Amino acid sequence: MTVGGMSQYLTAVQGMPEDVEEYLDKRIKNFVWAGKSKAPTDYEIMFLPKSEGGRDLLSIKDRNSAIESKNLKDFVTTEGENRAKWCSLSDNRLRKDIQGNTIVDPKVRDSPFKQTWKPLQKCLPRPLKRMLKTARKFKLTFNALALSKNIKEELPIFFHMGGNRDMGRRNNSKCAQCLRDCHSVRSTGDVLATVERNYQRHNRRRNCACQPCREDRLRGCIAPYLCLEEAIKMLDCLYEKWDPRVEVNQRAEGLSDELK
């Protein structure tokens, strides 16, 4: 259909405003029914294949939804050099303003699809609003039956989507701030690396003489033992599925038991 071919490229690049979408849909109806005020059959039937009694008519709304879904897929799945510039720009815009009164340090804002914070939509440009609307429509979420250890470690630890209620109050604790500022912790893997260091002869005191604690004090941490305990508690707040300390095989065995 001409109207679909002429609008497809611009829709893929810039999106299509809802008023334009409705206008084109109305023009298609007028063309199909030859300007008749009363349609002889249900308009939705015209979208069906001819073998099912339809006319293979293009649905502008469904076509636009498919384009938005493709853009959304590119946004959430591509990484590194393959990631388009518009994706990086969109990341920065989504992180700028967030909903609610929760304080989310800009340094730890990664993605609303991987964390619990949500962008303030009224401040977003129209294309990003449409993309988020598509995500809600198709209930997009970052999920899987079993995650590899690498994927678990790459996820941001602060405002982790796989944390329990206790995780919420730990995101902005004093130790959490120190983990961010002095220990440069961002991901779940960073927390795991902090916990798994060689803490030989470690003591629960500010002047602990073990090597990791001495290194942390040089970074500016005044109580390394408290930050270590906080890191352990943050990992404990993760559900088993998201915990990098739980092997994939163990998780698979648990799923098998649940399905029996």
Side-chain angles (χ1 to χ4, degrees), residues 137-154:
K137 177 180 178 181
F138 294 103
K139 299 180 180 180
L140 175 71
T141 181
F142 187 90
N143 209 342
L145 289 176
L147 299 167
S148 68
K149 185 177 181 181
N150 288 338
I151 293 178
K152 293 177 184 178
E153 292 183 358
E154 289 175 359

Side-chain angles (χ1 to χ4, degrees), residues 114-116 142 147 155-171 188 233-244:
K114 298 177 183 177
Q115 294 173 290
T116 55
F142 187 90
L147 299 167
L155 292 174
I157 185 63
F158 298 104
F159 300 91
H160 198 297
M161 59 179 295
N164 59 25
R165 289 186 177 182
D166 193 39
M167 176 68 88
R169 64 185 182 86
R170 297 195 176 281
N171 287 316
T188 304
K233 290 176 182 177
M234 293 185 81
L235 289 175
D236 290 341
C237 286
L238 297 177
Y239 292 115
E240 183 182 83
K241 175 180 178 178
W242 305 94
D243 193 337

Side-chain angles (χ1 to χ4, degrees), residues 73-253:
K73 175 180 178 293
D74 293 340
F75 177 74
V76 299
T77 60
T78 54
E79 298 288 346
E81 296 180 355
N82 295 326
R83 191 168 175 80
K85 289 184 178 180
W86 74 265
C87 294
S88 299
L89 292 172
S90 298
D91 277 332
N92 294 332
R93 191 63 189 85
L94 290 173
R95 296 167 185 157
K96 186 176 181 181
D97 300 295
I98 64 173
Q99 295 180 15
N101 299 321
T102 303
I103 299 175
V104 183
D105 190 332
K107 295 192 294 292
V108 300
R109 296 178 191 176
D110 185 279
S111 170
F113 297 105
K114 298 177 183 177
Q115 294 173 290
T116 55
W117 60 268
K118 301 299 179 185
L120 190 62
Q121 295 198 36
K122 69 178 183 180
C123 298
L124 296 177
R126 186 179 296 172
L128 288 183
K129 288 182 180 179
R130 285 197 303 268
M131 186 176 71
L132 293 177
K133 182 179 179 180
T134 301
R136 292 193 302 271
K137 177 180 178 181
F138 294 103
K139 299 180 180 180
L140 175 71
T141 181
F142 187 90
N143 209 342
L145 289 176
L147 299 167
S148 68
K149 185 177 181 181
N150 288 338
I151 293 178
K152 293 177 184 178
E153 292 183 358
E154 289 175 359
L155 292 174
I157 185 63
F158 298 104
F159 300 91
H160 198 297
M161 59 179 295
N164 59 25
R165 289 186 177 182
D166 193 39
M167 176 68 88
R169 64 185 182 86
R170 297 195 176 281
N171 287 316
N172 289 318
S173 66
K174 289 184 178 180
C175 287
Q177 294 176 22
C178 185
L179 285 171
R180 290 196 290 265
D181 298 335
C182 298
H183 302 258
S184 300
V185 167
R186 296 291 183 272
S187 67
T188 304
D190 293 336
V191 178
L192 186 63
T194 299
V195 171
E196 291 184 341
R197 289 187 297 175
N198 186 13
Y199 288 93
Q200 290 185 357
R201 296 182 298 173
H202 174 72
N203 291 300
R204 194 177 182 277
R205 60 189 186 191
R206 291 177 182 267
N207 62 344
C208 174
C210 75
Q211 185 64 27
C213 286
R214 284 188 290 175
E215 292 175 355
D216 290 343
R217 284 195 293 272
L218 290 175
R219 295 191 183 103
C221 179
I222 61 175
Y225 76 96
L226 290 178
C227 288
L228 171 61
E229 293 174 0
E230 183 69 15
I232 295 173
K233 290 176 182 177
M234 293 185 81
L235 289 175
D236 290 341
C237 286
L238 297 177
Y239 292 115
E240 183 182 83
K241 175 180 178 178
W242 305 94
D243 193 337
R245 298 169 297 181
V246 178
E247 296 293 336
V248 176
N249 292 337
Q250 294 176 332
R251 173 64 182 163
E253 291 175 1

